[in-house]
Amino acid sequence: QVQLVESGGGLVQAGGSLRLSCAASGRTFSSYKMGWFRQAPGKEREFVATISWSGAHTYYADSVKGRFTISRDNAKNPVYLQMDSPSPEDTALYYCAARESHNNYAAPKNYGYWGKGTQVTVSS
């Protein structure tokens, strides 16, 4: 069993900052590609960011470019999402996920492992 656990969510004011973390257990994810997704009430789950196993390559949704940063530590296990200058439209349940392959990093169906999510609420 592979387990991904998100943490760091909470209430943040627009223009503030927040850092989400994703811890993995049950398997080493050093060779996995990691991603962050989010889902707001009444909306589809959407791609936020992804990072290669080495951390050399990152990709972001247009809506968060320049504001959010995805990163991995030297062990390539914990994954983080630094959220700077969030806005109310960023309010959602944030999930971390892992995939072994697939070129389409933005498709949720290509990720085989998911955490249960951490809630982020942005007030104005």
Side-chain angles (χ1 to χ4, degrees):
Q1 182 180 24
V2 177
Q3 182 177 347
L4 300 176
V5 181
E6 305 93 338
S7 63
L11 177 65
V12 63
Q13 189 173 40
S17 64
L18 196 67
R19 190 183 76 166
L20 307 183
S21 300
C22 178
S25 63
R27 182 178 298 182
T28 301
F29 283 81
S30 60
S31 63
Y32 286 71
K33 301 171 181 65
M34 304 296 294
W36 284 95
F37 289 78
R38 66 187 183 186
Q39 187 167 22
K43 297 183 179 180
E44 298 292 323
R45 186 170 300 185
E46 65 176 351
F47 167 75
V48 175
T50 189
I51 189 168
S52 63
W53 73 270
S54 67
H57 303 285
T58 58
Y59 299 93
Y60 299 89
D62 289 340
S63 60
V64 305
K65 286 182 179 178
R67 300 187 300 117
F68 293 6
T69 304
I70 187 171
S71 63
R72 310 182 75 157
D73 71 1
N74 292 331
K76 315 302 180 183
N77 190 346
V79 181
Y80 307 97
L81 184 69
Q82 178 67 39
M83 304 172 62
D84 294 323
S85 300
S87 64
E89 66 182 15
D90 294 315
T91 295
L93 186 65
Y94 283 71
Y95 300 89
C96 67
R99 62 185 171 91
E100 295 184 46
S101 60
H102 299 292
N103 186 50
N104 189 353
Y105 53 77
K109 65 180 181 181
N110 292 332
Y111 290 75
Y113 309 103
W114 294 84
K116 294 183 178 180
T118 184
Q119 179 66 40
V120 173
T121 302
V122 184
S123 63
S124 60

